Amino acid sequence: MAGYVDPLVVGRVIGDVVDLFVPTINMTVSFGSKHVNNGCDIKPSMAANPPSVYISGQQSDLYTLVMTDPDAPSPSDPTMREWLHWMVINMPGGTDPSRGEEAVPYMGPAPRVGIHRYVLVLFRQKSRLPGVASPATRANFNTRWFAAQHDLSFPVATVFFNSQKEPANRRR
């Protein structure tokens, strides 16, 4: 009988973006009617607008949501690892990103070469983060470093999807 292997390990999210952790919060993510499961494929055109995200937890707890692409500009040469696509801070538990503060505006997937992973990581905050928590640049963002700088510790939930450039005649 084969053992269970975490898709975050198989997809190299654990290692490339975050360290091994135990999820403690439920997070659901969807683009329209497409629910995001680890490793699923989402077309860039489907992800042009921010996803619907809902997290469990207590409303008295605050969370930070980070979305990055660890494969920028290409999976074989990720010299801009990680590219920051979205950040919402001070999001109360039991809600969605609209109840938090958008520190970095959403930027949909735009892979030029290869299949890219887009990782959404949720951290529990120990206290309210100041609005200046947003990084100066999207390129070479480091999720681990950001978490350490803002005393966020380990993630409480993570999900990732894959996306690749769509042929011009297939875009909707």
Side-chain angles (χ1 to χ4, degrees):
M1 182 169 117
Y4 172 78
V5 179
D6 191 321
L8 295 173
V9 172
V10 174
R12 297 181 339 272
V13 170
I14 291 176
D16 286 353
V17 180
V18 295
D19 294 321
L20 189 60
F21 71 100
V22 176
T24 57
I25 293 288
N26 290 323
M27 177 172 67
T28 59
V29 178
S30 59
F31 288 97
S33 62
K34 176 78 173 179
H35 179 74
V36 176
N37 292 311
N38 283 322
C40 73
D41 293 323
I42 303 281
K43 294 177 183 176
S45 59
M46 182 178 268
N49 295 315
S52 297
V53 178
Y54 181 81
I55 62 170
S56 64
Q58 304 290 326
Q59 278 207 324
S60 58
D61 293 336
L62 295 174
Y63 296 88
T64 293
L65 177 67
V66 172
M67 179 177 158
T68 69
D69 172 3
D71 300 316
S74 77
S76 61
D77 189 26
T79 57
M80 289 190 274
R81 174 179 290 166
E82 302 161 37
W83 183 270
L84 181 61
H85 279 263
W86 194 28
M87 182 186 294
V88 179
I89 61 173
N90 301 324
M91 185 169 62
T95 64
D96 60 58
S98 70
R99 299 283 315 275
E101 301 167 31
E102 191 174 63
V104 176
Y106 180 80
M107 172 188 275
R112 294 182 184 173
V113 177
I115 299 170
H116 289 236
R117 297 165 293 162
Y118 293 87
V119 183
L120 289 102
V121 183
L122 185 70
F123 294 96
R124 184 168 182 256
Q125 299 172 202
K126 293 181 180 173
S127 61
R128 187 169 215 40
L129 294 183
V132 296
S134 62
T137 179
R138 290 180 187 259
N140 300 113
F141 179 79
N142 186 303
T143 300
R144 286 183 185 98
W145 183 87
F146 180 84
Q149 290 299 307
H150 297 284
D151 201 21
L152 300 176
S153 80
F154 291 107
V156 294
T158 301
V159 67
F160 81 101
F161 64 92
N162 297 314
S163 195
Q164 61 185 318
K165 185 175 182 176
E166 295 175 75
N169 61 348
R170 294 248 175 146
R171 292 185 191 140
R172 290 190 195 182

